[in-house]
Amino acid sequence: MSFATINDDILRTLRPPGALYYAGLALALVALSIGVLAFLYQARTGMGVAGYEHPILWGVYITNFVFWVGIAHSGTLISAVLFLFRATWRTAVARAAEAMTVIAVATAGLFPIIHIGRPWFFYWLIPYPNERGLWVNFRSPLVWDLFAIGTYLTVSVMFLYLGLLPDIAAARDTITDWRRRVYRVLSLGWLGTDRQWRHYMALYGFFAALATPLVVSVHSVVSWDFAMSILPGWHSTIFAPYFVAGAIFSGLAMVITLLVPMRRIFKLESYITVHHFENLAKLMLMTSLIVSYAYVVEFFIAWYSGSPFEQGTFYDRMFGQYWAYSWTMFTCNVGVPLLLFSKAIRTNLRALFVISIFVNIGMWLERYVIIVSSLSHDFDPANWSGVYSPTWVEAAITLGAFGLFFTLFLLFVKNFPAISITEMKETMAQSTKADRGAWPDPV
Amino acid sequence: MKILGIYDRSTKAAVCAGTILDKGLGDVVTYSPVPDHALDRALRVTVSPVRLFVLIGGLIGCATGFIFPIYTVLDWPLITGGKPLISIPPFVVIAFELTILFAAVGGMAGFLLLSRLPRMTGRPAPDTRFTNNLTGVSVTCAPNQVAEVRAMLERSGASEIRE
């Protein structure tokens, strides 16, 4: 394999795709349209159509928010953390994972807006004084969220763009259709001079170093939306690490869900190999074990606390109205990933794809169980009888979010190199250094 | 005068670039599809000052993250939840996020500034293959040194030489 082959093979993904791609895109667009229509209906009619009922005033929308922020995390793990650890296998999957991060955070960011009821006032969250000179409350985790998610989205976009810069330049110099003009603008006039590479590499390292603590802080802050309250089931010090591990776990599952079809549609089998999937599966297994441990600790602490309220909430979670959700969650997040201990399963892409779907479902349910079952078992026993179940509007908007996510991802991989050309060449250059012959004679 | 040598192997380009610099024959700019340590060594590349931009951005972000919330609570003193107006622990979260945000934005600004990007006008890349698979050494030299530079490019194995 040579530099030119890598260039051609990866830029081939920008050429007109096959029917499978268009079928996927059409499906995603239909899902997105359903979501948009449901949202318009909700905006016109009011939040009553969302099935929120006292005391459960956070439901599917906040579940979706936490789920999508979580999905984003593995992208940063792969692109930043594994970069710092010099895990070269990440090269083939990092770009897709980074793109997934940006798209997932953007999708997540829509949910607080959908949830607030009057979405046209979403800008009230931005810290500026209102007409009476009153500022936002910086002690509120919801304001922390704005800063955390805003920073995460901005840094992720810049990180993705920085990595793309030389690749867009490569596309500019190869592609001949109308997109060439777009690439010319987006490449910012990149030439690949020694000066540019020098600053590029320095900044890339810094971005990785900045994104690593950032990713840990973001889901910690999201977890504090819950943990800072005094509601039994939420008020727990384990929430931050528990959420971060869960986020990476679910994100890795989503990376597998996306990469298995992407590899087939764009015929990238020689770049994204079974070895890459096996490594992703190992990471997924490890994070699954951390999440399983967190589940055990959560229940242990509830019991050990001696607080009847805490114990009641957790008993209710397992055997109350929401038992089916909880047990499905345990099965998907604790039981099914154990199959990954088998190498035969880790290297079987079909099996991995199916397991990743189970994990996606399980992790969505985890957020649902944490949010809904804790709220339903609040401070007043009179509230405990009602059962919250999502309405068709919430289901449609959730479907729409998946539609948006897949639409944006499919558009991205079709218009930008889905694998980092530069990093693939770099990895190749490093691995074949020994075969490249002796150092040339001085001139 | 500018002379461009095109190489299929970056090590050959590195040897040539290093020698031209050693002999003081002219200024050298290299073009390559990937960051290349051989070229860096030949050109005696020093640590990029991008780090200063990151540091300054981070410090400004951290200071903003504390000063801004403190200013807002003093601007309209409203006690909520019996907490002190200036509650440092919650403001640490804001300061942490802004440190990272400003450091990243500062780094990006520094990168663009130092790399002289965006560069929308001006001459295009000397060869489109430099983003694909080839390495280029462009030498700016005095007219009386052109012959020597050209000979050096040839000797070092340049597959193509252009003036």
Side-chain angles (χ1 to χ4, degrees):
Chain A
M1 202 180 273
S2 67
F3 278 11
T5 325
I6 293 176
N7 215 59
D8 292 347
D9 281 354
I10 299 177
L11 289 176
R12 201 186 56 219
T13 62
L14 309 185
R15 297 215 187 107
L20 206 58
Y21 174 86
Y22 286 113
L25 187 63
L27 205 65
L29 281 170
V30 169
L32 173 61
S33 314
I34 293 172
V36 170
L37 288 175
F39 171 67
L40 292 175
Y41 172 69
Q42 176 183 289
R44 192 176 164 78
T45 318
M47 285 303 282
V49 297
Y52 285 1
E53 206 169 308
H54 185 78
I56 302 159
L57 297 169
W58 282 11
V60 164
Y61 297 148
I62 301 299
T63 302
N64 279 324
F65 167 70
V66 182
F67 175 76
W68 286 111
V69 178
I71 290 297
H73 278 48
S74 76
T76 315
L77 172 94
I78 291 169
S79 59
V81 181
L82 294 185
F83 174 80
L84 294 180
F85 282 106
R86 300 292 184 264
T88 46
W89 66 269
R90 71 177 260 292
T91 308
V93 295
R95 172 66 48 72
E98 275 171 23
M100 184 193 78
T101 295
V102 171
I103 296 166
V105 179
T107 309
L110 292 177
F111 275 98
I113 298 172
I114 295 170
H115 166 83
I116 53 179
R118 288 188 291 172
W120 46 93
F121 287 132
F122 76 94
Y123 61 88
W124 284 3
L125 261 175
I126 297 167
Y128 73 99
N130 70 8
E131 62 270 27
R132 292 189 296 141
L134 187 65
W135 289 84
V136 295
N137 182 6
F138 282 99
R139 276 174 239 115
S140 160
L142 301 181
V143 173
W144 303 349
D145 245 2
L146 180 82
F147 279 84
I149 303 289
T151 301
Y152 193 34
L153 184 61
T154 315
V155 174
S156 301
V157 168
M158 289 196 296
F159 198 15
L160 174 68
Y161 186 56
L162 183 73
L164 268 172
L165 208 51
D167 288 8
I168 296 176
R172 170 198 68 195
D173 294 341
T174 310
I175 298 287
T176 48
D177 62 23
W178 61 272
R179 286 177 297 181
R180 186 180 195 143
R181 276 190 212 147
V182 181
Y183 295 135
R184 187 174 296 154
V185 174
L186 287 178
S187 68
L188 304 179
W190 175 268
L191 295 174
T193 60
D194 50 286
R195 169 197 287 273
Q196 289 176 343
W197 280 123
R198 173 186 171 213
H199 303 308
Y200 173 93
M201 286 312 286
L203 185 62
Y204 200 86
F206 278 114
F207 268 169
L210 290 169
T212 302
L214 176 65
V215 73
V216 175
S217 83
V218 170
H219 228 55
S220 299
V221 167
V222 169
S223 83
W224 293 334
D225 285 344
F226 306 101
M228 291 291 288
S229 76
I230 53 167
L231 189 73
W234 285 5
H235 188 61
S236 163
T237 48
I238 199 182
F239 258 41
Y242 166 28
F243 268 50
V244 173
I248 293 170
F249 176 47
S250 65
L252 288 166
M254 189 58 96
V255 170
I256 293 174
T257 311
L258 289 173
L259 284 183
V260 172
M262 185 185 105
R263 173 180 187 262
R264 175 137 178 241
I265 291 174
F266 294 112
K267 300 187 177 57
L268 292 168
E269 285 87 350
S270 51
Y271 291 90
I272 306 172
T273 63
V274 172
H275 168 68
H276 297 110
F277 283 101
E278 194 187 355
N279 281 341
L280 288 171
K282 282 179 187 167
L283 275 176
M284 195 161 81
L285 176 61
M286 190 193 75
T287 44
S288 160
L289 294 175
I290 299 174
V291 168
S292 309
Y293 173 73
Y295 290 159
V296 173
V297 170
E298 234 193 341
F299 278 84
F300 171 77
I301 295 292
W303 168 76
Y304 192 68
S305 69
S307 157
F309 307 105
E310 200 71 24
Q311 289 168 351
T313 293
F314 279 89
Y315 183 86
D316 186 63
R317 197 174 277 184
M318 299 301 287
F319 306 109
Q321 299 122 317
Y322 300 98
W323 67 271
Y325 293 102
S326 304
W327 286 103
T328 313
M329 169 194 104
F330 284 125
T331 311
C332 293
N333 294 347
V334 180
V336 174
L338 293 178
L339 294 170
L340 297 173
F341 271 113
S342 152
K343 189 178 171 77
I345 290 177
R346 282 202 308 269
T347 49
N348 179 334
L349 296 196
R350 281 188 191 168
L352 266 185
F353 184 73
V354 173
I355 291 174
S356 76
I357 301 283
F358 270 102
V359 174
N360 283 324
I361 294 170
M363 285 308 295
W364 191 90
L365 285 175
E366 180 198 291
R367 279 63 181 255
Y368 184 85
V369 166
I370 290 172
I371 294 169
V372 173
S373 81
S374 302
L375 282 172
S376 75
H377 204 271
D378 75 342
F379 314 104
D380 183 358
N383 287 330
W384 294 355
S385 57
V387 178
Y388 163 83
S389 51
T391 61
W392 72 265
V393 176
E394 287 166 295
I397 289 179
T398 304
L399 181 71
F402 280 91
L404 175 69
F405 176 77
F406 287 115
T407 303
L408 293 177
F409 187 79
L410 285 169
L411 290 177
F412 178 87
V413 294
K414 177 67 197 61
N415 291 299
F416 293 98
I419 297 178
S420 171
I421 301 173
T422 308
E423 287 190 37
M424 282 307 289
K425 288 177 185 168
E426 236 186 312
T427 311
M428 194 207 87
Q430 280 163 9
S431 61
T432 56
K433 206 174 259 176
D435 315 330
R436 285 159 72 200
W439 187 261
D441 295 328
V443 285
Chain B
M1 287 290 287
K2 267 193 181 159
I3 308 176
L4 177 73
I6 299 176
Y7 294 83
D8 55 356
R9 270 175 60 191
S10 67
T11 43
K12 290 182 197 168
V15 169
C16 178
T19 318
I20 289 172
L21 280 182
D22 285 345
K23 293 193 172 174
L25 291 176
D27 292 332
V28 175
V29 174
T30 62
Y31 300 89
S32 60
V34 290
D36 195 297
H37 294 306
L39 290 174
D40 287 350
R41 272 196 301 275
L43 299 173
R44 291 169 200 85
V45 164
T46 49
V47 179
S48 162
V50 159
R51 57 185 181 162
L52 272 178
F53 286 83
V54 174
L55 176 68
I56 293 168
L59 291 174
I60 294 173
C62 186
T64 312
F66 282 113
I67 294 168
F68 182 47
I70 290 172
Y71 163 75
T72 64
V73 291
L74 296 178
D75 184 45
W76 181 302
L78 180 70
I79 292 182
T80 52
K83 303 289 192 299
L85 280 177
I86 300 173
S87 323
I88 294 300
F91 298 168
V92 167
V93 178
I94 307 287
F96 180 86
E97 301 298 342
L98 289 189
T99 303
I100 291 182
L101 179 65
F102 281 46
V105 172
M108 194 70 181
F111 161 70
L112 293 176
L113 206 70
L114 295 165
S115 311
R116 299 185 186 154
L117 295 172
R119 195 182 137 280
M120 292 306 178
T121 52
R123 66 183 175 82
D127 197 304
T128 52
R129 291 171 297 173
F130 293 152
T131 54
N132 185 344
N133 58 342
L134 298 181
T135 305
V137 176
S138 169
V139 187
T140 310
C141 61
N144 59 346
Q145 286 172 321
V146 170
E148 196 179 346
V149 170
R150 178 178 266 278
M152 195 161 288
L153 290 169
E154 270 168 16
R155 273 207 307 280
S156 58
S159 54
E160 217 179 303
I161 297 171
R162 279 192 236 147
E163 276 185 40

